Amino acid sequence: MFAERLKSLRKEQNLTQEKIAEKLNISRGSYAQWETERTQPSSKSLETLANFFNVSTDYLLGNTDNKNSTKFEDDLEESLNTARAFSGKPISEHDREVMREILTEMFKDK
């Protein structure tokens, strides 16, 4: 999945492997190996690629189909969608927003 997404993102921006390698200050061969699944990038390189393409690392790795969301955001939305008040009724939109803000603040550096 990673190699496919990397190649697709490169083509969406009309860039060659050589141009991206130049911009990332790596060899074209190193970049090409990622697109052909011969090697996997380090976590630092993965983060650099995500920043370069303005997507999340989770998107690059195939953990989400949302280019800009993080795994935390996806999990938070899923949790809020299933949250219920003590009475068993769905929570209000206001309560969803309050809970989203509290949880995002609580976990932002973790």
Side-chain angles (χ1 to χ4, degrees):
M1 179 66 74
F2 168 76
E4 294 169 21
R5 291 210 167 158
L6 189 61
K7 191 175 194 176
S8 176
L9 288 166
R10 176 178 60 80
K11 288 183 175 186
E12 284 175 16
Q13 294 190 15
N14 295 318
L15 294 170
T16 63
Q17 289 181 348
E18 187 173 330
K19 196 64 164 171
I20 290 178
E22 180 184 308
K23 289 178 182 267
L24 299 178
N25 200 28
I26 60 173
S27 71
R28 190 199 68 71
S30 292
Y31 181 84
Q33 287 184 353
W34 296 337
E35 278 195 11
T36 58
E37 296 182 329
R38 287 192 178 107
T39 62
Q40 293 292 314
S42 67
S43 57
K44 183 178 178 183
S45 295
L46 183 65
E47 188 70 35
T48 300
L49 288 166
N51 289 336
F52 179 81
F53 288 113
N54 196 30
V55 297
S56 69
T57 54
D58 278 331
Y59 175 78
L60 280 176
L61 295 172
N63 296 330
T64 181
D65 290 331
N66 187 340
K67 288 183 179 181
N68 297 313
S69 77
T70 64
K71 181 76 169 123
F72 171 77
E73 290 167 341
D74 290 343
D75 289 347
L76 177 59
E77 282 307 308
E78 184 176 329
S79 295
L80 291 173
N81 287 340
T82 59
R84 299 281 183 249
F86 287 117
S87 64
K89 294 179 182 176
I91 59 174
S92 69
E93 192 57 38
H94 175 264
D95 289 346
R96 282 176 62 89
E97 291 306 313
V98 170
M99 290 172 71
R100 181 181 289 111
E101 288 175 21
I102 290 169
L103 292 170
T104 299
E105 186 63 30
M106 181 185 282
F107 292 107
K108 72 178 179 183
D109 294 326
K110 295 185 173 48

